[in-house]
């Protein structure tokens, strides 16, 4: 065992010890949500139908429509149809047999809902809204301050995100920009007397932290024309950046789907190189470790940052659009931009952690992960490189992994929570992403808090899992779970213990805007995927709203 692995296990064991002192379920709320999530993790078909219903509910206004959709998704149906009792693939049959006794309850509930639709729709909407509030910190600026004040008492910082993606008009885009400025002013005013919980190196971590999505600032985003996007986005972002600098706040450029990745990177570098912002260190961007080209993007950012001569921040995450990227790539015959197995993403996260910490002199690292192995690795590597724990931070999603947050605070690490604010409809795609994450077979939180996998298994080296699977060495049960579930797809994929690509030899057909049909970034020659339509049918997957 390497000395670094030994330190990872030591630190991971410490985190788990603190977590176990204050046991808590995977979710911070119980009741309806807890029961629904438990059922979802036991029956894949129920999960599909439930996510479909949740996804469409916010757009339904009439009681009759809500009850009609409930019946279509959950009522008994002939074989081959989409009802809850419809045909299930063989790989889902086992889990469905375990819930045979539950199906009559579902069917009875659907029949009762049809008798009093107005009451049924009210109850359904209230419960789904409660689900959303599990992950959405507030409806408006006043509402979210209640949450932020509670977190301050727990020594947890915040970054606030306005819900909403992929606007369809410039009116909507203008409204989003105005709301960003309004929220920025409100946060600065309400936190005027707040200070950084750690105190040390607080100049690197402003109290007020706002995350923005570029797809909500321009309605005509075209991945094949980044220059047009930047020309329209820059005038909307400059006032936000300008006011943030005046208020001493931090602005983070969120990363969304792969189609917008290069535009987001180019926009960030373009604005931060302008004379007005060139010496401003309180801007940051996201790198998604599940992307195959993440390391190239990160090293490019670091080279740019050194040439600029001003510090900036990178939030390192695994990535939240896995299902969307996989489905879109498969439909179009492209090379999939994301790693197809979770251990590969975990290995890349650790490699990118090293790149960030080895370049700490120019970039501040914010590690966004609920995986204790990834967290312990960052802690151990930072100590090995002589980097003080006050010079980086850990970020978590609101409503998830509360015990891990408390453990890191107790260990004197800086912790920040990603807090979405907004109403249910614009937050629906965010909600579905969280539901997918919480119920996925390979999710760390599910493994720790629902399935009680041992600390030893959870702290194993993901690189070793890959090597052992490729060499057909015997795997432990925890490793088999992770390799099987890491395709995040169907249970049929979950039967595979080795790691070949399920796409076989994928064709790279991300073509240009030239005569040959390919699309390239004129600035650096990187290939960009063309804009594509959503997959047909009612697919339960994360998608830009």
């Amino acid at each position: 065992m390497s000395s670094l692995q030994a330190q990872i296990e030591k630190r991971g064991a410490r985190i788990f010890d603190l977590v176990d002192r204050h046991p808590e379920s995977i979710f911070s709320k119980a009741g309806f949500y807890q029961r629904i999530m438990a059922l979802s993790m036991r029956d894949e078909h129920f999960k599909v139908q439930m996510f479909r219903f949740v996804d469409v509910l916010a757009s339904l206004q009439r009681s009759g429509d809500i009850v009609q959709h409930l019946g279509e998704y959950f009522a008994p149906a002939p074989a081959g149809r989409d009802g809850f009792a419809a045909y299930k693939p063989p790989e889902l049959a086992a889990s469905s047999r375990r819930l045979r006794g539950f199906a009559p309850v579902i069917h009875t509930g659907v029949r009762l809902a049809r008798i009093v639709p107005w009451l049924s729709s009210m109850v359904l909407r209230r419960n789904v809204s409660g689900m959303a509030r599990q992950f959405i910190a507030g409806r408006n600026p006043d509402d979210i301050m209640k949450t932020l004040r509670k977190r301050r008492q727990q020594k947890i910082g915040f970054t606030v995100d306005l819900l909403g993606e992929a606007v369809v008009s410039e009116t909507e885009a203008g409204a989003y920009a105005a709301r960003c400025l309004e929220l920025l002013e409100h946060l600065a005013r309400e936190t005027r007397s707040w200070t950084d919980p750690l105190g040390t190196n607080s100049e690197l971590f402003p109290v007020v932290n706002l995350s923005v999505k570029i797809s909500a600032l321009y309605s005509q985003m075209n991945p094949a024309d980044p220059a047009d996007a930047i020309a329209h986005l820059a005038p909307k972002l400059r006032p936000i950046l300008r006011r943030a600098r005046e208020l001493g706040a931090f602005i983070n450029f969120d990363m969304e789907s792969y189609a917008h990745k290069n535009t987001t990177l180019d926009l960030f570098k373009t604005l931060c190189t302008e004379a007005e912002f060139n010496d401003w260190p309180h801007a940051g961007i996201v790198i998604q470790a599940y992307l195959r080209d993440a390391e190239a993007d990160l090293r490019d950012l670091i080279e740019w940052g050194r040439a600029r001569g001003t510090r900036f921040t990178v939030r390192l995450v695994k990535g939240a659009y896995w299902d969307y990227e996989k489905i879109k790539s498969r439909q179009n015959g492209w090379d999939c931009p994301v790693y197809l197995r979770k251990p590969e993403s975990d290995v890349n996260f650790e490699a990118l952690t090293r790149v960030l910490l080895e370049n700490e002199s120019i970039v501040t690292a914010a590690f966004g992960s609920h995986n204790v192995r990834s967290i312990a690795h960052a802690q151990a590597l930072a100590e090995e490189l002589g980097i003080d724990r006050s010079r980086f931070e850990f970020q978590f999603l609101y409503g998830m992994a509360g015990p891990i947050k408390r453990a890191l605070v107790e260990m004197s690490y800086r912790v920040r929570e990603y807090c979405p604010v907004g109403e249910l409809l614009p937050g629906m795609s965010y909600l579905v992403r969280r539901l997918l994450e919480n119920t996925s077979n390979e999710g760390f939180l599910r493994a720790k808090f629902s399935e009680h996998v041992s600390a030893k298994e959870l702290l194993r080296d993901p690189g070793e899992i890959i090597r052992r699977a490729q060499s057909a060495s015997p795997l432990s049960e925890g490793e088999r779970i992770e390799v099987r579930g890491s395709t995040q797809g169907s249970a049929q994929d979950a039967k595979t213990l080795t790691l070949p690509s399920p796409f076989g030899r994928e064709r790279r057909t991300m073509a240009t805007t030239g005569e040959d049909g390919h699309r390239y970034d004129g600035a650096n020659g990187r290939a960009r995927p063309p804009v594509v339509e959503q997959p047909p049918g009612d697919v339960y997957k994360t998608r830009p709203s």
Side-chain angles (χ1 to χ4, degrees):
M1 179 187 299
S2 69
S3 59
L4 179 60
Q5 176 64 20
Q7 285 299 312
I8 291 170
E9 293 183 4
K10 176 182 177 181
R11 291 171 181 277
R14 171 62 174 160
I15 295 172
F16 284 131
D17 179 61
L18 293 172
V19 165
D20 292 339
R21 291 184 189 179
H22 307 283
E24 183 179 299
S25 67
I26 182 174
F27 313 113
S28 61
K29 297 180 181 178
F32 173 84
Y33 180 75
Q34 186 79 31
R35 291 190 293 271
I36 288 295
M37 289 298 96
L39 286 169
S40 296
M41 288 186 283
R42 290 163 56 193
D43 189 292
E44 185 75 13
H45 188 70
F46 175 78
K47 180 171 77 172
V48 170
Q49 300 300 82
M50 192 268 288
F51 285 7
R52 286 173 167 174
F53 180 71
V54 167
D55 195 28
V56 75
L57 178 62
S59 63
L60 301 177
Q61 301 300 319
R62 298 188 302 172
S63 301
D65 291 339
I66 294 175
V67 173
Q68 178 184 349
H69 279 75
L70 180 71
E72 289 175 350
Y73 287 131
F74 292 104
R81 299 291 297 277
D82 274 343
F84 185 66
Y87 166 78
K88 299 176 179 63
E91 61 268 18
L92 300 182
S95 63
S96 296
R97 282 195 295 272
R98 291 195 296 270
L99 291 180
R100 276 176 181 168
F102 184 70
V105 177
I106 289 284
H107 302 156
T108 300
V110 172
R111 287 194 294 270
L112 290 174
R114 288 169 175 159
I115 296 173
V116 192
W118 65 269
L119 179 61
S120 305
S121 63
M122 181 180 67
V123 172
L124 287 167
R125 191 180 294 278
R126 184 179 64 188
N127 280 317
V128 172
S129 295
M131 261 194 212
R133 298 305 161 197
Q134 166 77 18
F135 305 112
I136 300 174
R139 295 177 175 84
N140 52 54
D142 288 325
D143 195 25
I144 199 172
M145 284 308 306
K146 301 173 186 177
T147 299
L148 301 187
R149 290 188 183 99
K150 293 177 182 177
R151 293 301 183 267
R152 185 193 179 207
Q153 294 175 352
Q154 300 166 353
K155 298 184 178 180
I156 294 175
F158 66 85
T159 179
V160 176
D161 163 55
L162 274 174
L163 288 170
E165 307 169 28
V167 295
V168 297
S169 73
E170 286 305 280
T171 300
E172 286 186 3
Y176 178 87
R179 288 169 56 217
C180 284
L181 281 169
E182 176 189 354
L183 182 58
L184 195 58
E185 296 283 355
H186 188 86
L187 293 172
R189 182 172 59 252
E190 295 295 321
T191 63
R192 188 176 292 114
S193 62
W194 295 18
T195 56
D196 177 76
L198 287 186
T200 308
N201 289 311
S202 60
E203 70 280 359
L204 300 178
F205 305 93
V207 170
V208 175
N209 189 308
L210 179 67
S211 293
V212 297
K213 291 183 172 66
I214 69 168
S215 70
L217 287 166
Y218 182 38
S219 63
Q220 305 300 313
M221 290 278 291
N222 184 349
D225 194 357
D228 172 77
I230 292 172
H232 285 84
L233 287 164
K236 295 173 183 174
L237 276 165
R238 287 191 190 100
I240 297 173
L241 299 181
R242 187 175 299 125
R243 188 57 180 149
R245 182 167 192 172
E246 293 168 354
L247 294 170
F250 183 97
I251 298 295
N252 193 79
F253 287 54
D254 267 356
M255 196 63 72
E256 303 175 72
S257 64
Y258 188 76
H260 297 322
K261 174 181 70 75
N262 288 340
T263 298
T264 305
L265 289 166
D266 294 344
L267 176 67
F268 175 77
K269 290 185 286 187
T270 296
L271 284 171
C272 291
T273 307
E274 293 179 353
E276 183 176 3
F277 306 113
N278 190 64
D279 62 347
W280 184 47
H282 296 150
I285 194 165
V286 176
I287 290 291
Q288 299 164 311
Y290 71 175
L291 293 180
R292 299 175 188 273
D293 52 8
E295 183 172 351
D297 288 334
L298 179 56
R299 292 190 180 279
D300 182 64
L301 273 171
I302 290 171
E303 182 180 354
W304 163 83
R306 293 197 181 281
R308 176 181 176 234
T310 302
R311 195 175 192 85
F312 68 103
T313 296
V314 167
R315 176 198 295 159
L316 179 62
V317 301
K318 301 288 175 66
Y321 296 81
W322 190 93
D323 299 88
Y324 173 73
E325 303 295 0
K326 176 184 173 184
I327 291 171
K328 187 173 70 171
S329 299
R330 176 176 289 173
Q331 283 193 318
N332 291 275
W334 300 337
D335 275 358
C336 190
V338 299
Y339 289 110
L340 298 175
R341 280 116 344 219
K342 181 181 180 296
E344 292 178 305
S345 295
D346 290 341
V347 166
N348 201 38
F349 190 94
E350 295 188 5
L352 298 175
T353 295
R354 178 174 289 276
V355 174
L356 284 171
L357 292 176
E358 287 178 343
N359 290 277
E360 194 277 334
S361 61
I362 194 65
V363 60
T364 300
F367 301 107
S369 175
H370 300 139
N371 188 323
V372 171
R373 158 76 197 197
S374 300
I375 294 168
H377 172 266
Q379 293 177 349
L381 184 58
E383 181 171 291
E384 182 180 277
L385 296 173
I387 299 171
D388 189 82
R389 67 183 61 189
S390 66
R391 295 189 67 82
F392 57 91
E393 68 179 14
F394 294 101
Q395 296 191 3
F396 297 84
L397 295 172
Y398 173 79
M400 295 170 63
I404 300 175
K405 297 171 192 173
R406 290 195 294 269
L408 294 184
V409 169
E410 190 168 338
M411 295 170 71
S412 299
Y413 285 96
R414 183 177 279 104
V415 175
R416 190 178 304 276
E417 197 170 56
Y418 186 90
C419 299
V421 57
E423 296 297 335
L424 181 60
L425 183 57
M428 191 51 62
S429 66
Y430 181 84
L431 170 61
V432 173
R433 284 200 294 275
R434 300 288 77 80
L435 295 177
L436 285 168
E437 181 175 355
N438 281 328
T439 58
S440 65
N441 290 333
E442 81 288 358
F444 177 88
L445 294 181
R446 172 176 174 175
K448 167 60 181 172
F449 295 102
S450 289
E451 299 178 348
H452 307 292
V453 176
S454 70
K456 180 180 179 180
E457 295 292 349
L458 294 173
L459 293 173
R460 63 202 181 283
D461 182 355
E464 182 62 24
I465 295 173
I466 295 173
R467 289 188 292 272
R468 290 176 65 181
Q470 288 174 332
S471 63
S473 299
L475 300 177
S476 70
E477 177 59 26
E479 291 169 335
R480 288 199 297 272
I481 289 172
E482 181 154 25
V483 174
R484 284 202 306 269
S486 61
T487 58
Q488 304 184 16
S490 68
Q492 183 175 1
D493 293 331
K495 297 176 182 177
T496 304
L497 297 182
T498 54
L499 296 167
S501 166
F503 295 158
R505 296 185 61 84
E506 300 146 320
R507 293 177 292 120
R508 183 175 297 278
T509 58
M510 294 182 183
T512 67
T513 51
E515 292 181 356
D516 60 356
H518 287 142
R519 291 182 174 172
Y520 293 105
D521 178 352
N524 54 28
R526 288 178 294 185
R528 299 174 179 275
V531 178
V532 297
E533 298 299 326
Q534 297 293 342
D538 189 6
V539 182
Y540 95 97
K541 65 176 182 58
T542 303
R543 63 179 185 273
S545 61

